[in-house]
Amino acid sequence: MMRKLILTIIGLLIILTSLEAGTSKRKGTAGAEELRIPVGSRGVALGGGVVAEANGVDALFWNPAGASFTKKSAEAMFSYVSYIADIKVNYIAAIANFGGVGVFGVSLRSFDFGEIPVTTVDAPDGTGEKFSPNFLTAAISYSRRMTDRIYVGANLKLISERILRESATGFAVDIGLQYRLESGLRFGAVMKNIGGNMKFDGPDLEWGVVIPGSEPGSPVRSLRVPLQEFELPAAFELGFSYNFKLGEAHSLTFAGSFQNNNFTLDEYKGGIEYSFNNILFLRFGYSYVNETDYVFNQPAFGVGLNIPLGGNLEASVEYTYRKVKFFNNNQFLTLRFAM
């Protein structure tokens, strides 16, 4: 029964991804684009194609189903991203493993846009004041191992955006599935950022004006500027991975995925990871969108190091460098602790 249910879900996702939901004509029509910015050095180093491979606390962003693929009782991670246009991204996440009950997780992501000069119609060169947008995404997660091969998981996300005194709030869910075989072959599927529309609102949208043609001395009227709602950047992703042993100390992992978006063209992602004794990792990845000026049609390179701290406690340090067109290249640094 469970196998039939999983196959049905995968079949529905394949049908969904075969539909050309996103085209180049829809670029810029989605909001909350910060949901697309990746976190976690390993996933980025593998081109983002880790929907079937991501595991433990690192899986909360890529595919929450993988969070329950862990033998640790608890994991925590911190990730820092030097993104494009001087944007900095900070991400913290943790999971707790309750055995047969499942794995529970929490995460928080914040964005640092730096200080932006305030400009107005009367002062197009700036008023001398500065502001910084405040974007936060918080999530609670649950993942469970359903059988010896099947893992499921979900994120419930709160999205908060604030610019000056205007703000928008929304909710979204991610639903993921992984199917893992003892041979090292794995399949994954995830639906991300599924939720209602968001809309900005705030006191600065009210303007005091005198109606043209009014009699002298007429009172100032309060008019409100209506804003359009915007969709979330929903996506459906299918992927696979395969772990190939080269001996007692060496292994290779191949990972790839196909992502269908509701706001732009489809994306193809993949990478390869070499592991030495599960301590040292070397990674290479690439993501591709069939668009000449797509800024992320570039390779990524990464390295990781696992550090035993005694007993069941261990730490890992990971770094990824991703080339970017037109902007400064991205740098990802991740620290992870497990016990």
Side-chain angles (χ1 to χ4, degrees):
M1 181 66 182
M2 178 62 67
R3 180 172 296 181
K4 289 182 179 180
L5 175 61
I6 298 302
L7 291 176
T8 300
I9 294 174
I10 294 177
L12 290 173
L13 289 173
I14 292 175
I15 294 173
L16 288 170
T17 55
S18 67
L19 301 176
E20 192 175 3
T23 69
S24 59
K25 296 180 180 179
R26 297 204 67 193
K27 286 193 302 182
T29 61
E33 286 285 340
E34 70 273 13
L35 296 174
R36 298 186 58 214
I37 298 177
V39 291
S41 302
R42 182 177 185 247
V44 177
L46 294 178
V50 292
V51 63
E53 176 61 26
N55 60 83
V57 67
D58 193 46
L60 293 184
F61 173 80
W62 303 100
N63 184 350
S68 55
F69 187 76
T70 178
K71 297 180 180 179
K72 303 295 183 178
S73 59
E75 296 183 31
M77 69 175 285
F78 170 77
S79 180
Y80 168 82
V81 183
S82 176
Y83 200 56
I84 62 176
D86 296 325
I87 298 174
K88 307 296 189 297
V89 184
N90 295 296
Y91 176 78
I92 187 170
I95 60 172
N97 188 353
F98 291 90
V101 176
V103 172
F104 294 85
V106 293
S107 61
L108 178 66
R109 183 165 45 159
S110 65
F111 294 79
D112 181 2
F113 296 89
E115 293 187 331
I116 302 173
V118 175
T119 60
T120 65
V121 175
D122 298 324
D125 295 326
T127 64
E129 299 177 305
K130 294 184 178 181
F131 75 99
S132 180
N134 185 5
F135 285 17
L136 293 172
T137 302
I140 56 174
S141 308
Y142 175 73
S143 178
R144 186 180 178 188
R145 179 177 178 175
M146 304 299 293
T147 71
D148 60 336
R149 298 181 178 182
I150 299 170
Y151 302 75
V152 297
N155 296 327
L156 174 60
K157 297 187 286 194
L158 169 65
I159 309 155
S160 174
E161 300 182 354
R162 175 174 291 274
I163 303 175
L164 291 175
R165 296 195 295 170
E166 280 57 61
S167 63
T169 302
F171 294 91
V173 296
D174 305 332
I175 302 174
L177 165 73
Q178 286 185 346
Y179 187 82
R180 295 173 175 262
L181 301 174
E182 292 184 1
S183 63
L185 183 63
R186 301 161 183 172
F187 300 94
V190 65
M191 299 181 291
K192 303 183 74 172
N193 306 324
I194 308 301
N197 293 347
M198 294 175 59
K199 183 179 180 180
F200 274 95
D201 197 9
D204 291 332
L205 298 176
E206 293 186 0
W207 291 9
V209 300
V210 176
I211 304 299
S214 300
E215 295 291 334
S218 296
V220 175
R221 301 292 184 88
S222 178
L223 298 181
R224 189 168 189 82
V225 179
L227 298 184
Q228 180 66 41
E229 293 184 344
F230 55 85
E231 298 180 50
L232 300 181
F236 301 91
E237 188 169 357
L238 292 172
F240 78 98
S241 68
Y242 183 71
N243 184 268
F244 182 72
K245 294 291 185 180
L246 300 175
E248 291 295 329
H250 308 275
S251 67
L252 288 176
T253 298
F254 301 89
S257 67
F258 165 79
Q259 181 170 294
N260 179 254
N261 304 299
N262 73 338
F263 53 88
T264 187
L265 299 175
D266 297 332
E267 187 170 358
Y268 304 86
K269 304 181 284 187
I272 182 172
E273 175 185 70
Y274 164 75
S275 170
F276 173 71
N277 210 28
N278 202 36
I279 294 178
L280 177 65
F281 303 87
L282 301 176
R283 301 164 181 139
F284 171 80
Y286 197 94
S287 63
Y288 175 76
V289 171
N290 188 21
E291 184 177 348
T292 304
D293 294 329
Y294 185 64
V295 297
F296 298 117
N297 278 350
Q298 299 288 318
F301 310 89
V303 61
L305 181 66
N306 279 350
I307 307 170
L309 300 178
N312 294 325
L313 186 63
E314 67 176 35
S316 66
V317 181
E318 299 173 330
Y319 173 80
T320 294
Y321 182 86
R322 181 172 69 170
K323 293 183 64 64
V324 179
K325 289 183 179 179
F326 313 123
F327 296 94
N328 292 334
N329 296 322
N330 294 168
Q331 298 186 69
F332 295 75
L333 177 64
T334 301
L335 304 177
R336 184 180 62 86
F337 298 90
M339 59 180 294

